[in-house]
């Protein structure tokens, strides 16, 4: 049996800020069922898997307020509507790690939180890196740049030392690309 299509009847923004909006839609399902759907709307995000010439994968360590603990993550940021996704990815890479990239390869996209947000995250691998930092914003102060081999990264994931969903999804999607680029060091 095929899933029933939902059709939006109306949409209302309850709250918005510079990063996202909280929306309430009214919908109807093909079978006539009506309802309300609450969700977060964003303009999407870009996540970057930076790989150095020494075959090291760069992650950033940052404090996550909602979880009240440090998190190891690939560099990532919400899209700036004034920039194409590729430029946004390069900007985030420079802000969070200090590195720019001569090569940026698009890997794919995914929805980090279906059911609660319409955000789509575009995933890139950055290589041929060179140091060219941009200033960090206030929320990025204290962010630490760390370097790992492919095998070390896998161990961090298995040991649940990496728990960020975007990073875990990105690693899963880009696994074969990362393995090939790092020559499985």
């Amino acid at each position: 049996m095929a899933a029933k299509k939902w059709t939006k009847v109306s949409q209302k923004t309850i709250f918005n800020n510079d990063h996202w909006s909280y929306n309430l839609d009214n919908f109807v399902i093909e079978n006539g069922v009506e309802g309300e759907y609450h969700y977060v709307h964003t303009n999407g995000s870009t996540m970057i898997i930076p790989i150095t010439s020494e075959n090291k994968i760069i992650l950033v360590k940052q404090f996550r307020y909602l979880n009240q603990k440090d998190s190891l993550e690939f560099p990532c940021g919400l899209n700036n509507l004034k920039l194409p996704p590729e430029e946004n990815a390069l900007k985030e890479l420079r802000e969070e790690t200090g590195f720019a990239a001569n090569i940026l390869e698009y890997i794919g996209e995914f929805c980090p939180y279906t059911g609660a947000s319409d955000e789509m995250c575009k995933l890139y691998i950055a290589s041929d890196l060179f140091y060219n930092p941009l200033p960090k914003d206030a929320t990025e102060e204290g962010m630490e740049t760390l370097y790992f081999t492919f095998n070390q990264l896998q161990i961090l994931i298995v040991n649940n030392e990496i728990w960020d969903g975007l990073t875990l999804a990105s690693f899963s999607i880009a696994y074969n690309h990362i393995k090939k680029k790092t020559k499985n060091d």
Side-chain angles (χ1 to χ4, degrees), residues 85-132:
E86 296 80 12
E87 286 183 39
N88 193 77
L90 292 170
K91 177 187 75 68
E92 290 294 334
L93 178 64
R94 290 178 63 200
E95 285 176 356
E96 294 189 9
T97 69
F99 286 98
N102 285 318
I103 300 172
L104 187 69
E105 178 185 1
Y106 176 74
I107 301 300
E109 66 181 2
F110 62 96
C111 180
Y113 197 27
T114 58
S117 176
D118 64 358
E119 179 176 336
M120 291 299 289
C121 180
K122 294 189 182 301
L123 176 60
Y124 299 90
I125 291 180
S127 56
D128 195 9
L129 305 177
F130 59 97
Y131 195 68
N132 188 12

